[in-house]
Amino acid sequence: GTIYACAWGSDNKSLMTASADGTCKLFEVAADGSSITEKHTWKVAEHMLGKAADKTPRGGMQLGCAFAGGTVPVSVSTNNQLAVLPMPGDSKPIEILTGHNAPIGAIAFDHANGLFYTGDSDGILCRWDLKSIKAIERICPADNKDLDYKVHGGAVSGMTILKDSQLLSVGWDDTGYYTKGGKLQSGKLGIGAQPTSIATGTSVTAIVTVKGLLILKDGKATGDIIPLKYDANCVCVAKDDQVIYVGGNDNKIYSYSSSGSEMKVVEDGHLKPVTALAVSDDGKMLAAGDSRDVCVYSLPDLK
């Protein structure tokens, strides 16, 4: 394949190349430049795939390389992941440094397992270690032959952790995907409209969409989308699953029962569209934010 980059080591004899065939090679150059000997090949694309491939995945092409600190070989792939490459004789495997290369639009924390997840506008999901704040891996879609890692067919607009520690991510492809233990599950949620925001109490999850409110129980829809007479921006669910709060583009806060019946409307407090909602851990207060102000309401009376 085409060689896209080359780099010298600090010893002035080690030379590495990065190629479109998904590999990087290490060469040793004679002191007088009269000869060059191939010493090692790193099969980076195959390492990311976890198997040999007849055709180099588009995302596995190696675009650049360098010796970090002059001694550690590093390459970058088309899918924007970095590979730290062990020198010959080193028993360490190739280490993939991952993350996002597009704006992050969603985040969800799995405190019970010391993890958090992020989703970006390319439809890619990442799993992170909560303590070290280090990306562990990208979530692999069912078909990742191109190594592009795109789970969603559009931007990820929301994420939540369900009662069983599954991640439910929703995106502009009008679909929800479930991830458990870092593995994408086979089942998926047909939302029926573009989602705007998602939140979970304990067993009840609420998704606000451009068409209305969708309520889930244990990750499964309890019915069809409930039409709303306003544009919903954000949502949160009380820990006891009894009340769902929705922030509107009309500067109001709406509360609903877990069955979707409207309970109360807060018409004062905000002069701009409500874009963020959160219930305190003790369930006694609701914080609501807009582009200018944050208001705190006592619960359950919303005053």
Side-chain angles (χ1 to χ4, degrees):
T2 302
I3 296 173
Y4 285 130
C6 61
W8 285 97
S10 59
D11 60 4
N12 294 315
K13 66 177 182 179
S14 297
L15 175 69
M16 71 176 295
T17 59
S19 172
D21 65 4
T23 69
C24 290
K25 291 183 180 292
L26 177 67
F27 300 89
E28 185 175 300
V29 182
D32 60 0
S34 61
S35 65
I36 181 170
T37 305
E38 183 177 331
K39 303 293 288 186
H40 189 71
T41 298
W42 294 283
K43 298 180 179 180
V44 184
E46 288 189 6
H47 176 79
M48 287 190 286
L49 270 178
K51 61 181 180 180
D54 296 330
K55 181 181 178 182
T56 304
R58 184 171 61 250
M61 295 180 180
Q62 301 303 293
L63 295 183
C65 60
F67 280 91
T71 59
V72 180
V74 178
S75 70
V76 62
S77 305
T78 314
N79 60 22
N80 301 298
Q81 294 190 117
L82 296 175
V84 181
L85 309 173
M87 289 294 281
D90 190 337
S91 60
K92 292 180 181 179
I94 294 173
E95 180 185 4
I96 301 299
L97 303 181
T98 191
H100 294 283
N101 197 52
I104 296 171
I107 189 168
F109 292 89
D110 181 4
H111 292 284
N113 293 297
L115 302 167
F116 70 96
Y117 296 84
T118 51
D120 67 28
S121 60
D122 283 340
I124 292 173
L125 311 179
C126 279
R127 185 166 72 127
W128 300 71
D129 180 86
L130 185 55
K131 185 176 181 180
S132 65
I133 317 298
K134 181 180 179 180
I136 300 170
E137 62 183 348
R138 289 179 178 177
I139 304 302
C140 284
D143 181 7
N144 196 37
K145 63 182 180 181
D146 288 331
L147 287 175
D148 58 13
Y149 296 91
K150 293 182 179 181
V151 172
H152 285 272
V156 180
S157 56
M159 308 175 122
T160 190
I161 302 297
L162 303 178
K163 186 178 180 181
D164 61 357
S165 292
Q166 281 197 101
L167 170 75
L168 173 57
S169 59
V170 296
W172 288 3
D173 53 2
D174 301 352
T175 304
Y177 288 93
Y178 303 91
T179 302
K180 189 169 186 178
K183 305 297 181 184
L184 192 69
Q185 304 299 291
S186 58
K188 56 185 178 180
L189 174 69
I191 300 172
Q194 184 174 304
T196 305
S197 180
I198 185 172
T200 297
T202 298
S203 296
V204 171
T205 298
I207 304 173
V208 288
T209 75
V210 294
K211 289 185 178 180
L213 174 65
L214 181 65
I215 299 174
L216 285 64
K217 179 71 178 294
D218 294 325
K220 307 300 179 185
T222 59
D224 296 328
I225 290 177
I226 301 168
L228 303 176
K229 59 181 180 291
Y230 59 92
D231 292 329
N233 293 328
C234 55
V235 65
C236 72
V237 184
K239 289 293 183 183
D240 62 6
D241 291 335
Q242 296 302 303
V243 185
I244 298 169
Y245 302 95
V246 179
N249 208 48
D250 57 1
N251 310 344
K252 300 175 184 178
I253 299 171
Y254 298 80
S255 65
Y256 299 85
S257 68
S258 57
S259 63
S261 300
E262 186 176 304
M263 298 168 59
K264 190 170 184 177
V265 182
V266 178
E267 298 188 7
D268 55 356
H270 292 275
L271 301 176
K272 293 181 178 295
V274 180
T275 54
L277 292 168
V279 177
S280 61
D281 286 345
D282 61 9
K284 294 181 179 180
M285 293 178 287
L286 173 72
D290 58 39
S291 61
R292 189 183 70 174
D293 299 314
V294 176
C295 298
V296 178
Y297 302 87
S298 62
L299 297 177
D301 52 3
L302 278 173
K303 291 184 179 179

